[in-house]
Amino acid sequence: MAPSAITPPQGVQETSELTAAAVAGKIAQTAPGLLKNGVKTTLRPLDASRLRLTRTTTPMTVPQPGDPIIATASQCTDHMITAVWRSTTGWNDPELRPYGNLSLAPTASVLHYATECFEGMKMYRGFDRKLRLFRPDANCKRMLVSSTRIALPGFDPRELEKLIIAMIALDGPKWLPKAGTFLYLRPTMIGSAGALGVATPKEATLFVIATFMPPLGAPQGLKLLASTDGVRAWPGGFGFAKVGANYGPSLMANGEARARGYDQVLWLLNGQVTEAGASNFFVMWKSREGKTQLVTAPLGDKIILDGVTRRSILQLTRERLSHGRTGLDPVEIVERQFTMEDVVQAVNEERILEAFAAGTAYFVCPVSVIHYKDQDLQIPMSQGDSGPYTALIKSWLVDIMYGREQHEWGVVVEEE
């Protein structure tokens, strides 16, 4: 489908202003405690101190390394968090309870109107044997942005973080015993009210699960297929929010890219580079003035997901690579719109140094090929499996996540 076929018409700015006002109203109504001058409400806030614990009586078996079930990403841990919000009462007491199926009416809002958002996080077993989360505050704050964008209730992100910590403190010792490993965490909120009608859900269900996830990556570098006839998101839309509606429509294109021998789609918008699959995309090149630049698409148009890994890469690069103290040339960070034609010119002029995709699932993954207009553009990987900048940035993050470097981003969880 051509970009013009699904790009919103003129007037999108008015729609954006309407949405912003609605989001502000949703927070004021459902989570006034987040506002300096929030009005009092009788609706109960999400409160982790009221967590009710029910331990499982049918514990599951932890799969061993190499077990085929790991590749299915379906094996969860023994427990999960659930909490229900209703428009008349607010949040019920959250529960930490045995993992199990949810009960939904066929008329539930999420099944018809895509009122669903989620987060992608990991818990890590450090090389020092400690259990850690990586910047969970950022994930929980972003989930608030996502939930209120699709008419789901607001909440205090700090309370969600406490609930996540309570769950992994209980399940971590059994399910993540080996140093240097991780489990994937999926906080999710859905519109669970059982009523048809295009309207704000009167009930929502929050849940958090932990699951095994097969390692994702590409030893020879990611091969990307640049999409010239479809878009993932557009200005004034919801590409910045982590909602299911951003992902389902992209699956067909990603599947076709794999069928053609590529790993992911590199999404373009009128030629502008946006994201690689479900990851943020970065390119390291020399400017025509000879500066080494790390270039990535900006957040201003709300097309790009404000990735926690993205944010961390930019901050570490500013702190550690801007002055050339690592033996590599100093790096200038550039957050701006750039096109595939810019990339083609940089490749042809041998100014491309390396490129990579970054996100929770793929982590930091070097890119070796970008297919664009019937041509495979070769991206350098001078170290064989990576470029030097990509490898260094990745090592910094790994050290924080697994405790080799003591850093405020690595939040240690006290286990039961």
Side-chain angles (χ1 to χ4, degrees):
M1 181 179 292
S4 60
I6 57 175
T7 300
Q10 292 183 353
V12 71
Q13 183 61 39
E14 287 76 7
T15 302
S16 182
E17 291 172 356
L18 285 173
T19 301
V23 167
K26 175 64 70 173
I27 292 176
Q29 176 190 17
T30 61
L34 300 178
L35 306 176
K36 290 183 178 180
N37 298 312
V39 297
K40 291 185 178 181
T41 177
T42 58
L43 298 180
R44 296 175 60 187
L46 184 65
D47 185 353
S49 71
R50 302 181 68 89
L51 180 65
R52 296 185 295 177
L53 170 61
T54 304
R55 294 179 183 270
T56 184
T57 58
T58 55
M60 295 181 282
T61 301
V62 179
Q64 295 303 305
D67 191 319
I69 198 172
I70 294 176
T72 69
S74 62
Q75 177 63 62
C76 293
T77 62
D78 285 323
H79 298 90
M80 63 190 294
I81 292 285
T82 59
V84 175
W85 174 91
R86 294 184 176 88
S87 61
T88 55
T89 57
W91 289 98
N92 288 357
D93 291 349
E95 296 183 68
L96 177 51
R97 63 181 182 84
Y99 174 83
N101 293 336
L102 300 174
S103 178
L104 284 177
T107 52
S109 172
V110 64
L111 302 178
H112 302 270
Y113 309 115
T115 49
E116 184 269 355
C117 64
F118 63 95
E119 271 301 318
M121 308 168 60
K122 292 175 181 175
M123 59 172 167
Y124 304 87
R125 177 63 67 186
F127 294 109
D128 57 0
R129 310 297 305 174
K130 293 181 180 179
L131 187 65
R132 284 180 176 81
L133 293 169
F134 180 75
R135 305 192 74 175
D137 58 325
N139 288 99
C140 295
K141 290 174 183 176
R142 187 173 64 183
M143 189 160 174
L144 172 65
V145 171
S146 299
S147 69
T148 53
R149 176 61 182 84
I150 53 172
L152 294 177
F155 56 90
D156 188 335
R158 294 169 295 184
E159 298 302 306
L160 175 58
E161 181 178 347
K162 292 174 187 176
L163 293 174
I164 294 170
I165 288 174
M167 187 185 85
I168 70 171
L170 178 61
D171 278 355
K174 171 184 172 180
W175 289 87
L176 196 63
K178 185 180 178 181
T181 58
F182 70 86
L183 289 180
Y184 190 83
L185 300 173
R186 175 52 62 87
T188 306
M189 192 187 300
I190 61 175
S192 50
L196 292 180
V198 183
T200 299
K202 297 185 183 302
E203 178 185 292
T205 299
L206 167 71
F207 62 92
V208 185
I209 55 175
T211 181
F212 285 85
M213 182 74 71
L216 297 176
Q220 306 303 318
L222 281 176
K223 298 176 66 177
L224 303 179
L225 175 61
S227 173
T228 58
D229 62 354
V231 297
R232 189 198 76 92
W234 49 85
F238 45 87
F240 67 94
K242 205 165 179 66
V243 298
N246 276 330
Y247 295 84
S250 71
L251 298 180
M252 293 297 289
N254 276 323
E256 181 61 23
R258 291 191 179 94
R260 298 183 185 186
Y262 298 91
D263 298 300
Q264 292 284 345
V265 172
L266 181 61
W267 294 103
L268 309 180
L269 175 63
N270 297 327
Q272 296 174 8
V273 177
T274 62
E275 294 193 340
S279 302
N280 295 123
F281 178 75
F282 297 79
V283 62
M284 189 81 71
W285 64 27
K286 288 283 188 180
S287 70
R288 287 199 169 91
E289 296 73 32
K291 293 181 179 180
T292 301
Q293 296 179 330
L294 179 62
V295 185
T296 193
L299 301 177
D301 290 333
K302 294 193 173 183
I303 297 170
I304 304 299
L305 184 70
D306 183 9
V308 177
T309 309
R310 175 191 185 276
R311 189 186 308 182
S312 304
I313 288 169
L314 295 180
Q315 186 167 335
L316 289 176
T317 299
R318 287 190 182 97
E319 294 173 356
R320 304 182 183 188
L321 281 173
S322 61
H323 303 294
R325 297 170 184 166
T326 61
L328 297 171
D329 289 341
V331 175
E332 177 185 30
I333 291 176
V334 179
E335 295 180 74
R336 69 167 176 84
Q337 295 175 349
F338 65 105
T339 68
M340 269 307 301
E341 294 301 329
D342 295 329
V343 175
V344 170
Q345 289 180 11
V347 169
N348 291 339
E349 295 169 4
E350 298 184 347
R351 293 188 289 107
I352 287 281
L353 301 177
E354 52 196 90
F356 59 91
T360 301
Y362 270 90
F363 190 34
V364 178
C365 192
V367 172
S368 60
V369 173
I370 302 174
H371 183 86
Y372 178 64
K373 291 185 176 179
D374 299 322
Q375 180 183 4
D376 277 348
L377 303 173
Q378 302 297 320
I379 308 300
M381 294 174 57
S382 60
Q383 295 185 345
D385 60 352
S386 179
Y389 289 100
T390 305
L392 183 59
I393 292 168
K394 183 176 181 178
S395 71
W396 288 337
L397 291 169
V398 168
D399 286 349
I400 295 171
M401 291 167 174
Y402 290 99
R404 285 198 183 107
E405 177 184 343
Q406 301 304 308
H407 196 285
E408 63 180 350
W409 293 348
V411 178
V412 176
V413 175
E414 296 297 329
E415 302 173 74
E416 291 194 7

